[in-house]
Amino acid sequence: MKSIDLRSDTVTLPTPEMRRAMYEAEVGDDVYREDPTVNRLEERAAELLGKEAALFVPTGTMGNQVAVLTHSRRGEEVIVEAESHVYLYEVGGIAALSGCQVKTLPGVRGAMDPAAVEAAIRPVNVHFPRSGLVCIENTHNRSGGCVLPQENVAAVAEVAHRHGIPVHMDGARIFNAAVALGRPVAELVAPVDSVMFCLSKGLAAPVGSLLVGSREFIDEARRYRKLLGGGMRQAGVLAAAGLVALELMVDRLADDHANARRLAEGIAEIPGLAVDMATVQTNMVMVDIVDPRFTGRTLVQAFERWGVRCNDVGPRRIRLVTHKDVTAADVELALDAMARAVKAGP
Ligand SMILES: *Cc1c(COP(=O)(O)O)cnc(C)c1O
């Protein structure tokens, strides 16, 4: 039986076009800035996001951590949403690498209240850390891929900038947000100073993320990338796949979003499972377990036996993610298998 992998959009395999582009990529030593394919990818990313410059990094985590290192100083405080990736899933990097402490604020589907951000900014006082950076996340992973309301992005950035504090966006899936809103990605990121986005998720490239911002910011970020061991050599082999991702894989994210919606509607009809449809905005579905026989862990195991793979993200919650290697027909097969699995019990 074929298994349908809905654990994450990171499981996507490179397309034939990507493999061809990688094979044929013109390369050089990127630490000397001599890899023409990396240079092209960085220029293209900056252009698409409406910023001056970009930096190719191996992972989204490195992109976010390089951004924090570049924006902040040791002993400062970084304001983050309490369920954000940069805080929860990056191995304590803000503390370990930048020597900063975090101030977490609650979010509504990832969106922090601009007034709460303003209240969290430290006044000038010899006892206090300085507030060095505000981080936001779009789309917001832990809330199920919700898109930040654009007026919230603008309001949070306005507050931070009024206090002289830069704003970094973890835009791992910013292209999902742009496709969901039907707006150019440059418009979504216009209020913020820097953005990280991933090529390796829904865009299906094998490896890579970009950090984007002003030329001055990226010049400094390049030094921190080197510090973290991210100065790669003939990285054009990887960048070539990224260029294909940006050219061919953005518009089709709409298919993933349609599949996620269908998946969510079908799951909501399975007795004992619940989905808040208002949160199904892009390519993720968060499922709450009402059936007392299951926990997140045992439901994942039961689905696995029926050929559907997903992740538990809480004691009574699982997450399913659609992507280009899951077709509309796969979604129907998965729904059928999940209904049978729930009926059969743990
Ligand atoms: C995946 C992800 C990252 C990190 O990307 P990696 O390439 O896995 O290091 C950062 N932020 C969010 C919201 C993500 O989903």
Side-chain angles (χ1 to χ4, degrees), residues 121-134:
I121 294 171
R122 301 282 195 155
V124 177
N125 182 312
V126 72
H127 298 90
F128 293 159
R130 288 194 181 116
S131 301
L133 177 65
V134 175

Side-chain angles (χ1 to χ4, degrees), residues 8-10 58-64 84-86 89-90 137-142 170-173 196 198 200-201 208-209 284 319:
S8 175
D9 46 11
T10 56
T59 65
T61 299
M62 189 185 288
N64 279 339
S84 60
H85 192 285
V86 70
Y89 300 123
E90 300 187 9
E137 184 177 312
N138 199 12
T139 61
H140 187 259
N141 191 333
R142 282 283 299 179
D170 175 348
R173 296 185 181 80
M196 182 284 291
C198 293
S200 56
K201 297 193 170 163
S209 295
M284 292 187 189
R319 187 191 76 170

Side-chain angles (χ1 to χ4, degrees), residues 97-244:
L97 302 172
S98 293
C100 291
Q101 63 184 30
V102 291
K103 169 74 181 172
T104 60
L105 296 179
V108 176
R109 295 178 195 160
M112 295 182 283
D113 176 359
V117 172
E118 181 143 40
I121 294 171
R122 301 282 195 155
V124 177
N125 182 312
V126 72
H127 298 90
F128 293 159
R130 288 194 181 116
S131 301
L133 177 65
V134 175
C135 292
I136 60 177
E137 184 177 312
N138 199 12
T139 61
H140 187 259
N141 191 333
R142 282 283 299 179
S143 67
C146 288
V147 180
L148 291 182
Q150 193 56 26
E151 59 276 14
N152 178 262
V153 174
V156 167
E158 188 279 322
V159 164
H161 290 156
R162 185 149 39 77
H163 292 268
I165 301 169
V167 180
H168 172 68
M169 180 188 283
D170 175 348
R173 296 185 181 80
I174 192 63
F175 285 95
N176 291 86
V179 166
L181 293 175
R183 309 297 313 167
V185 73
E187 192 178 306
L188 273 58
V189 305
V192 302
D193 303 280
S194 62
V195 188
M196 182 284 291
F197 72 88
C198 293
L199 298 165
S200 56
K201 297 193 170 163
L203 300 182
V207 174
S209 295
L210 285 127
L211 180 60
V212 190
S214 71
R215 191 163 304 283
E216 193 188 7
F217 171 82
I218 292 298
D219 285 346
E220 191 64 11
R222 197 175 290 280
R223 292 180 55 79
Y224 284 112
R225 182 186 69 172
K226 193 78 178 77
L227 172 66
L228 298 185
M232 299 181 288
R233 302 299 177 170
Q234 285 75 42
V237 176
L238 303 173
L243 280 161
V244 174

Side-chain angles (χ1 to χ4, degrees), residues 1-334:
M1 181 174 53
K2 181 193 163 200
S3 124
I4 300 167
D5 197 342
L6 298 163
R7 287 173 302 168
S8 175
D9 46 11
T10 56
V11 303
T12 43
L13 300 178
T15 64
E17 291 87 347
M18 287 177 188
R19 289 182 182 273
R20 203 169 308 123
M22 293 171 81
Y23 181 79
E24 291 169 357
E26 198 188 332
V27 297
D29 189 331
D30 181 49
V31 174
Y32 291 115
R33 313 283 301 273
E34 287 172 5
D35 189 302
T37 309
V38 171
N39 292 342
R40 264 206 298 140
L41 175 63
E42 291 178 345
E43 279 159 28
R44 182 71 188 124
E47 179 184 47
L48 271 172
L49 271 70
K51 305 286 185 202
E52 286 173 4
L55 181 69
F56 185 50
V57 288
T59 65
T61 299
M62 189 185 288
N64 279 339
Q65 293 302 325
V66 163
V68 177
L69 279 162
T70 309
H71 282 303
S72 66
R73 293 292 160 266
R74 191 169 182 79
E76 286 183 345
E77 194 162 65
V78 179
I79 297 172
V80 299
E81 193 273 334
E83 300 257 283
S84 60
H85 192 285
V86 70
Y87 170 60
L88 287 180
Y89 300 123
E90 300 187 9
V91 209
I94 295 177
L97 302 172
S98 293
C100 291
Q101 63 184 30
V102 291
K103 169 74 181 172
T104 60
L105 296 179
V108 176
R109 295 178 195 160
M112 295 182 283
D113 176 359
V117 172
E118 181 143 40
I121 294 171
R122 301 282 195 155
V124 177
N125 182 312
V126 72
H127 298 90
F128 293 159
R130 288 194 181 116
S131 301
L133 177 65
V134 175
C135 292
I136 60 177
E137 184 177 312
N138 199 12
T139 61
H140 187 259
N141 191 333
R142 282 283 299 179
S143 67
C146 288
V147 180
L148 291 182
Q150 193 56 26
E151 59 276 14
N152 178 262
V153 174
V156 167
E158 188 279 322
V159 164
H161 290 156
R162 185 149 39 77
H163 292 268
I165 301 169
V167 180
H168 172 68
M169 180 188 283
D170 175 348
R173 296 185 181 80
I174 192 63
F175 285 95
N176 291 86
V179 166
L181 293 175
R183 309 297 313 167
V185 73
E187 192 178 306
L188 273 58
V189 305
V192 302
D193 303 280
S194 62
V195 188
M196 182 284 291
F197 72 88
C198 293
L199 298 165
S200 56
K201 297 193 170 163
L203 300 182
V207 174
S209 295
L210 285 127
L211 180 60
V212 190
S214 71
R215 191 163 304 283
E216 193 188 7
F217 171 82
I218 292 298
D219 285 346
E220 191 64 11
R222 197 175 290 280
R223 292 180 55 79
Y224 284 112
R225 182 186 69 172
K226 193 78 178 77
L227 172 66
L228 298 185
M232 299 181 288
R233 302 299 177 170
Q234 285 75 42
V237 176
L238 303 173
L243 280 161
V244 174
L246 289 178
E247 194 181 337
L248 298 181
M249 305 303 282
V250 172
D251 292 344
R252 64 149 307 288
L253 292 173
D255 299 343
D256 299 345
H257 298 178
N259 284 339
R261 179 144 282 275
R262 169 63 195 131
L263 187 65
E265 286 165 355
I267 291 170
E269 282 172 19
I270 299 175
L273 302 183
V275 179
D276 178 358
M277 290 301 297
T279 67
V280 185
Q281 300 176 4
T282 57
N283 68 331
M284 292 187 189
V285 182
M286 290 291 186
V287 180
D288 291 311
I289 304 165
V290 184
D291 187 332
R293 297 172 304 158
F294 289 103
T295 63
R297 192 70 270 192
T298 60
L299 187 60
V300 166
Q301 288 163 350
F303 283 172
E304 179 115 38
R305 289 196 293 277
W306 289 81
V308 176
R309 307 186 76 185
C310 60
N311 282 326
D312 52 318
V313 293
R316 306 203 59 77
R317 179 170 261 214
I318 62 169
R319 187 191 76 170
L320 299 94
V321 185
T322 56
H323 53 76
K324 71 120 177 117
D325 294 333
V326 172
T327 64
D330 290 333
V331 168
E332 299 307 323
L333 287 172

